[in-house]
């Protein structure tokens, strides 16, 4: 049971929360890494070696995300409801680069792996909303130069965003929820350890036990659009 005053909550989400919205995960049998090598499209070295292939990979994913058929699901919506109704801090940290949490209404949200619909200029460092195709000819809206734009996502070997803020929140949290992530990729996979050290109650909500399942105190296994709303509604019902 959470402490008498409403617990401070940190939530981590991964690709599994967006699966029922129609987006692929990475390590499921039909996942993204089953059809393309991450070394070819998701490292700084790949971008230097073959920028067209990297642009093509993210252009296809961006086009897929912008398909009107892709909408937030009941799990995204439940997390937005929780943020609205909860009397203390709820921080949502996502590994996902899609914008489904925003579209569901979540605001206190950190994209630790960046965002598919953002561009970053490697010449001037400016970042921009970017919802169209990106090529070597694309022009930076800030400095006007071409050939230096990249998708603003964190590739393997790069430092995730917002880490100081995330670790501070984990240190202070009373309840840690991990949703739709396999627990394969650090530093996100280590967040449950930080939360445990802080004395937080740690809950895994995932289709199946993740790599780190044994580190969680409570588990709800099943599709996110089923288990997440059920869990959130129960949490909200316990509010004084
Ligand atoms: N509901 C809930 N969980 C689901 C569902 C679903 N409908 N479908 C799949 N899952 C679970 C899978 O069982 C798996 O544990 O979601 C998890 C997805 O794991 P991954 O594919 O490894 O995705 P993720 O954990 O987000 O990957 C982390 O790895 O490749 C990098 O940068 C990429 O952010 C990504 C990171």
């Amino acid at each position: 049971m959470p402490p008498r005053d409403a617990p401070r909550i940190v939530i981590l989400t991964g690709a599994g929360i967006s699966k029922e919205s129609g987006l692929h995960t990475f390590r499921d049998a039909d996942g993204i890494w089953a059809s393309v090598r991450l070394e070819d499209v998701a490292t700084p070295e790949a971008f230097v070696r073959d920028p067209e292939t990297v642009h093509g990979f993210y252009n296809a994913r961006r086009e897929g995300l912008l398909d009107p058929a892709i909408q937030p699901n009941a799990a995204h919506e439940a997390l937005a409801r929780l943020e609205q109704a909860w009397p203390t801090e709820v921080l949502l940290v996502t590994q996902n680069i899609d914008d489904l949490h925003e579209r569901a209404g979540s605001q206190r949200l950190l994209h630790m792996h960046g965002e598919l619909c953002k561009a970053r200029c490697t010449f001037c460092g400016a970042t921009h909303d970017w919802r169209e195709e990106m090529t070597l000819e694309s022009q930076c809206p800030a400095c006007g130069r071409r050939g230096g734009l990249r998708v603003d996502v964190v590739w393997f070997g790069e430092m995730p965003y917002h880490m100081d803020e995330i670790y501070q929140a984990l240190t202070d949290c009373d309840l840690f929820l991990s949703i739709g992530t396999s627990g394969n990729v650090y530093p996100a996979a280590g967040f449950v350890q930080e939360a445990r050290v802080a004395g937080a109650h740690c809950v895994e909500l995932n289709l199946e036990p993740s790599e780190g399942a044994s580190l969680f105190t409570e588990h709800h296994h099943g599709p996110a659009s089923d288990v997440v709303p059920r869990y959130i509604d129960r949490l909200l019902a316990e509010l004084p």
Side-chain angles (χ1 to χ4, degrees):
M1 284 298 283
R4 237 152 9 105
D5 49 320
R8 287 157 301 182
I9 303 175
V10 175
I11 304 167
L12 172 69
T13 62
I17 198 170
S18 298
K19 180 75 178 295
E20 292 159 89
S21 293
L23 297 181
H24 285 292
T25 61
F26 291 93
R27 293 172 184 81
D28 287 332
D30 63 345
I32 292 172
W33 299 145
S35 57
V36 65
R37 293 177 66 248
L38 68 87
E39 295 80 3
D40 293 341
V41 294
T43 68
E45 295 77 13
F47 191 57
V48 170
R49 186 173 59 243
D50 185 355
E52 283 90 352
T53 296
V54 175
H55 279 315
F57 174 67
Y58 287 98
N59 287 337
R61 290 180 65 193
R62 187 179 305 108
E63 190 181 355
L65 175 60
L66 297 177
D67 180 333
I70 305 295
Q71 294 295 331
N73 63 57
H76 297 103
E77 289 161 356
L79 298 188
R81 244 190 355 264
L82 175 70
E83 178 185 334
Q84 288 302 313
W86 204 252
T88 55
E89 164 89 331
V90 176
L91 174 64
L92 174 52
V93 180
T94 188
Q95 300 172 90
N96 301 339
I97 60 175
D98 65 57
D99 62 352
L100 296 179
H101 283 305
E102 291 88 331
R103 288 165 55 191
S106 289
Q107 295 177 351
R108 186 78 178 88
L109 169 64
L110 297 177
H111 278 276
M112 64 179 289
H113 289 167
E115 298 175 64
L116 186 53
C117 294
K118 281 222 168 46
R120 174 154 52 87
C121 178
T122 56
F123 296 132
C124 72
T127 57
H128 313 279
D129 285 338
W130 198 274
R131 305 177 82 81
E132 59 202 55
E133 190 181 49
M134 189 185 297
T135 70
L136 282 173
E137 294 313 306
S138 299
Q139 188 172 23
C140 171
C143 71
R145 295 176 63 172
R146 297 177 188 279
L149 282 186
R150 62 170 274 185
V151 63
D152 189 21
V153 303
V154 176
W155 286 325
F156 286 91
E158 295 183 323
M159 178 58 77
Y161 292 151
H162 312 296
M163 292 311 295
D164 291 346
E165 185 174 355
I166 293 167
Y167 281 124
Q168 186 56 58
L170 289 167
T171 306
D172 298 338
C173 84
D174 307 300
L175 179 61
F176 175 67
L177 310 181
S178 178
I179 302 173
T181 182
S182 62
N184 267 294
V185 175
Y186 286 81
F191 289 173
V192 59
Q193 295 276 32
E194 301 294 326
R196 284 167 62 100
V197 167
H201 178 66
C202 298
V203 185
E204 171 170 273
L205 299 106
N206 204 58
L207 186 65
E208 62 208 2
S210 71
E211 289 289 311
S214 62
L215 297 169
F216 290 85
T217 322
E218 185 179 344
H219 307 81
H220 299 274
H221 293 140
S225 66
D226 173 31
V227 299
V228 174
R230 236 163 344 113
Y231 180 82
I232 297 301
D233 289 344
R234 212 185 69 208
L235 204 56
L236 291 173
E238 287 170 3
L239 274 177

